């Protein structure tokens, strides 16, 4: 398929795998009557093997990004950095492999260069407990990423203060709520004079900083585990970061999921079912995509 590069990869891989059978078939007199000069040279076979080896990291990356059950936006940044390293030419590479790696590396180097894209992808990776160490970034970039996360977490705290009892085990928060009830009359009397704007800002920043520090000190999640299940179990421990994780990790990293929806719709809406109403078709599509849940 011209629009699916990995179809060419699979074709060459299958040929190399079935090469003995192909060569045996080409030795058949019946085949040789109708086909001339159909045998590949040793150089052709070596080139095919080198191509498969050079493209293998791209195939693995493509399969990872086609996932639907796990977040993909958080994988983009570490995967991009790894592919740039894997496509760096070495002295042992043949001229063909160097050409392939150079073309891939040059194209990948142009991707995700704007600050907005970098911030989104890096913060998404930081909010994924599998990649929160951000080993693919420099120490300065890691510090900058978590500083921006802290700022966003503090803004969440200021915009949506945690009500009493919302965070289990947070005794300090409960004591603050109790004190507010007892001193409501004092607030009514002197609230305008002693505004607590600066206090709230400092408190929110302090809480966000403490939460991020605790999050960074926690063990990283193995790559085989589900980060969404981890956040579900840890949302009371990290109330601010869990909200940011919900906002970031729900973003699909590719258009694969949307394209699959259209393919499924094509299976449901056919000539034999042309009387389906739009509402009924939408319900069938929803059930098909969510029946496992």
């Amino acid at each position: 398929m011209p629009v699916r590069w990995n179809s060419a990869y699979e074709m060459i891989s299958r040929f190399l795998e079935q090469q003995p059978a192909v060569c045996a078939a080409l030795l058949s007199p019946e085949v040789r009557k109708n086909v001339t000069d159909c045998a590949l040279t040793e150089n052709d076979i070596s080139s095919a093997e080198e191509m498969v080896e050079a493209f293998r990291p791209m195939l693995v990356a493509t399969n990872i990004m086609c996932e639907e059950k796990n977040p993909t936006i958080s994988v983009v940044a570490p995967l991009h950095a790894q592919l740039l390293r894997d496509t760096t030419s070495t002295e042992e590479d043949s001229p063909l492999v160097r050409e392939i790696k150079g073309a891939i590396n040059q194209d990948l180097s142009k991707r995700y260069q704007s600050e907005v894209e970098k911030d989104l992808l890096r913060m998404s990776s930081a909010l994924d407990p599998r990649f929160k160490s951000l080993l693919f970034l420099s120490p300065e970039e890691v510090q900058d990423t978590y500083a921006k996360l802290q700022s966003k977490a503090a803004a969440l705290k200021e915009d949506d203060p945690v009500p009493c009892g919302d965070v289990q085990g947070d005794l300090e928060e409960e004591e603050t709520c109790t004190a507010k009830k007892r001193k409501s009359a004092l607030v009514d009397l002197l609230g305008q004079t002693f505004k607590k704007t600066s206090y709230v800002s400092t408190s929110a920043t302090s809480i966000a900083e403490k939460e991020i520090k605790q999050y960074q000190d926690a063990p990283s999640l193995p790559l085989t585990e589900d980060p969404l299940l981890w956040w579900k179990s840890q949302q009371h421990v990290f109330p601010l970061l869990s909200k940011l994780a919900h906002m970031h990790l729900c973003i699909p990293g590719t258009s694969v999921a949307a394209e699959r929806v259209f393919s499924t719709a094509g299976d449901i809406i056919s000539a034999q079912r042309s009387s389906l109403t739009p509402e009924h078709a939408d319900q069938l599509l929803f059930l098909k995509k969510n029946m496992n849940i």
Side-chain angles (χ1 to χ4, degrees):
M1 296 179 62
V3 296
R4 295 287 185 267
W5 73 268
N6 53 321
S7 64
Y9 174 94
E10 296 290 354
M11 177 185 65
I12 299 174
S13 298
R14 281 195 295 271
F15 167 74
L16 292 174
E17 178 184 316
Q18 302 298 328
Q19 182 185 352
V22 173
C23 293
L26 293 177
L27 294 175
S28 170
E30 296 180 1
V31 175
R32 296 181 69 86
K33 287 180 182 179
N34 302 321
V35 181
T36 59
D37 195 21
C38 55
L40 296 179
T41 65
E42 287 295 328
N43 289 335
D44 294 331
I45 301 297
S46 299
S47 297
E49 292 173 343
E50 291 174 354
M51 289 174 62
V52 168
E53 189 64 27
F55 278 116
R56 182 171 285 112
M58 292 296 297
L59 179 71
V60 175
T62 302
N63 292 336
I64 291 174
M65 295 306 298
C66 288
E67 285 281 344
E68 286 191 21
K69 296 182 179 179
N70 292 317
T72 51
I73 186 68
S74 58
V75 187
V76 174
L79 203 58
H80 181 255
Q82 184 63 44
L83 286 175
L84 286 175
R85 287 194 294 269
D86 290 342
T87 55
T88 302
S89 299
T90 62
E91 295 181 357
E92 294 80 12
D93 293 335
S94 66
L96 175 62
V97 173
R98 289 184 182 180
E99 183 179 356
I100 293 174
K101 286 185 175 182
I104 296 175
N105 193 284
Q106 184 179 4
D107 186 79
L108 288 175
S109 300
K110 302 175 184 177
R111 309 283 179 169
Y112 316 119
Q113 292 301 307
S114 70
E115 291 301 321
V116 176
E117 289 177 328
K118 287 181 180 179
D119 289 344
L120 173 63
L121 296 178
R122 290 173 180 179
M123 284 193 288
S124 298
S125 297
L127 289 168
D128 191 323
R130 298 173 297 176
F131 311 118
K132 65 186 182 73
S133 57
L134 302 180
L135 296 177
F136 56 93
L137 298 178
S138 65
E140 293 77 15
E141 291 172 330
V142 173
Q143 185 177 359
D144 179 65
T145 299
Y146 275 104
K148 292 175 179 177
L149 269 183
Q150 179 178 323
S151 178
K152 294 187 71 172
L156 278 180
K157 179 67 177 176
E158 292 177 359
D159 295 340
D160 185 22
V162 181
C164 298
D166 271 15
V167 181
Q168 296 180 357
D170 196 339
L171 300 178
E172 180 181 351
E173 202 64 46
E174 293 180 0
E175 291 175 0
T176 304
C177 294
T178 305
K180 287 182 180 179
K181 293 179 181 178
R182 293 175 180 173
K183 300 181 180 180
S184 58
L186 189 61
V187 172
D188 291 339
L189 182 62
L190 300 176
Q192 292 298 322
T193 304
F194 298 92
K195 292 182 178 180
K196 57 176 183 177
T197 305
S198 60
Y199 169 75
V200 173
S201 176
T202 304
S203 178
T205 302
S206 176
I207 292 174
E209 182 180 4
K210 180 181 178 182
E211 189 168 314
I212 285 182
K213 179 66 168 59
Q214 185 179 359
Y215 174 67
Q216 288 180 293
D217 291 340
S220 296
L221 193 67
L223 296 177
T224 55
E225 299 295 326
D226 187 349
L228 300 182
L229 292 178
W230 187 90
W231 275 115
K232 183 178 180 180
S233 64
Q234 300 293 321
Q235 59 183 343
H236 293 300
V237 181
F238 309 107
L240 298 177
L241 291 180
S242 65
K243 292 180 181 179
L244 291 178
H246 292 162
M247 295 165 58
H248 284 74
L249 299 184
C250 67
I251 303 173
T254 65
S255 61
V256 173
E259 293 178 5
R260 286 174 177 166
V261 170
F262 281 101
S263 298
T264 305
D267 296 335
I268 294 175
I269 305 172
S270 61
Q272 289 75 23
R273 309 182 75 182
S274 58
S275 298
L276 281 175
T277 63
E279 293 78 12
H280 196 184
D282 183 62
Q283 291 171 352
L284 290 173
L285 185 61
F286 177 84
L287 290 174
K288 173 62 177 177
K289 285 296 182 180
N290 295 279
M291 61 181 180
N292 292 333
I293 300 177

